[in-house]
């Protein structure tokens, strides 16, 4: 009888040992290497970050917004480390110089060709289980946004150009172009 092959379980220490310039995420002990984002990805990320930061600043919000690369340690087990494209954290006690320890309130991922299965499936499940309140999947290839509001057990689909209400803020919406 053939022995079962044991898969390596990696930790955050392994992420920190990667060569300079190599980015990766860690989900349940499995490393997912990341390719550099393209121009469209960066433009969308910058516009979203700008809109969210302007809203928070203009409304004396107690939350902070961070764009990737920004470390999010979802669990204290040392086997989950992600770098969402956008993270909004309202419980500032979760923040230190290394990043966010625990679930951000709102995460936005911008889908690329190499991140589809992670963004649509693996991270969706992981973020929900970790306690993220709201998760957006922005897909430039489909010109669509899926907005998951886990607290309300809702998922809504929007097209680029539509106003998308932000679930964690009552009077804020964003238009993704």
């Amino acid at each position: 009888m053939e022995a079962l092959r044991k898969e390596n379980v990696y930790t955050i220490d392994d992420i920190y040992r990667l060569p300079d310039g190599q980015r990766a995420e860690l989900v349940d002990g499995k490393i997912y290497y990341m390719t550099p984002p393209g121009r469209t990805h960066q433009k969308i990320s910058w516009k979203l970050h700008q809109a969210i930061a302007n809203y928070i600043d203009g409304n004396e919000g107690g939350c902070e917004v961070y764009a990737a690369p920004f470390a999010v340690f979802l669990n204290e087990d040392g086997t989950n480390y992600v770098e969402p494209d956008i993270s909004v954290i309202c419980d500032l006690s979760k923040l230190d110089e290394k990043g966010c320890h625990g679930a951000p309130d709102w995460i936005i991922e911008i889908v690329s060709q190499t991140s589809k299965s992670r963004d649509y499936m693996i991270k969706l499940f992981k973020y929900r289980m970790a306690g993220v309140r709201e998760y957006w999947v922005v897909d430039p290839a489909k010109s669509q946004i899926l907005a998951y509001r886990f607290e309300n057990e809702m998922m809504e689909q929007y097209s680029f150009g539509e106003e998308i209400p932000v679930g964690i803020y009552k009077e804020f919406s964003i238009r993704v172009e």
Side-chain angles (χ1 to χ4, degrees):
M1 182 154 93
E2 188 176 318
L4 291 176
R5 192 174 72 108
K6 186 176 179 188
E7 193 170 309
N8 285 342
V9 175
Y10 296 96
T11 68
I12 291 167
D13 291 336
D14 295 307
I15 293 291
Y16 284 129
R17 282 195 287 269
L18 291 173
D20 284 346
Q22 175 69 64
R23 288 181 54 215
E25 294 181 308
L26 183 67
V27 179
D28 294 330
K30 182 173 179 175
I31 291 180
Y32 295 91
Y33 293 97
M34 300 165 65
T35 58
R39 187 182 67 83
T40 299
H41 179 284
Q42 289 298 85
K43 188 173 183 179
I44 292 170
S45 177
W46 187 82
K47 291 285 189 183
L48 286 168
H49 184 272
Q50 181 182 43
I52 296 165
N54 288 345
Y55 178 82
I56 291 171
D57 291 347
N59 291 279
E60 299 176 17
C63 304
E64 294 187 8
V65 59
Y66 295 92
F70 178 74
V72 173
F73 306 91
L74 286 175
N75 309 91
E76 293 183 24
D77 62 6
T79 62
N80 288 283
Y81 166 96
V82 292
E83 292 184 2
D85 291 309
I86 305 282
S87 300
V88 177
I89 298 99
C90 299
D91 178 354
L92 303 185
S93 70
K94 293 180 178 180
L95 298 171
D96 67 14
E97 283 305 308
K98 286 188 173 187
C100 178
H101 299 269
D105 293 85
W106 179 18
I107 289 178
I108 300 174
E109 294 285 8
I110 302 164
V111 175
S112 68
Q113 198 61 32
T114 59
S115 72
K116 276 184 183 181
S117 66
R118 280 196 317 271
D119 294 339
Y120 277 111
M121 296 185 306
I122 295 168
K123 287 184 179 179
L124 170 67
F125 176 76
K126 204 69 199 165
Y127 292 159
R128 181 181 182 128
M129 297 311 294
V132 171
R133 295 168 56 200
E134 185 161 358
Y135 174 45
W136 288 14
V137 180
V138 178
D139 193 330
K142 294 180 180 179
S143 297
Q144 79 173 17
I145 301 95
L146 298 180
Y148 296 89
R149 294 178 182 92
F150 297 133
E151 291 177 315
N152 303 330
E153 297 187 14
M154 290 177 51
M155 187 280 289
E156 295 176 308
Q157 181 177 321
Y158 298 90
S159 297
F160 280 22
E162 289 184 273
E163 287 287 326
I164 306 167
V166 176
I168 68 165
Y169 293 112
K170 299 256 185 272
E171 296 158 12
F172 181 37
S173 63
I174 297 178
R175 182 186 314 264
V176 178
E177 299 293 342

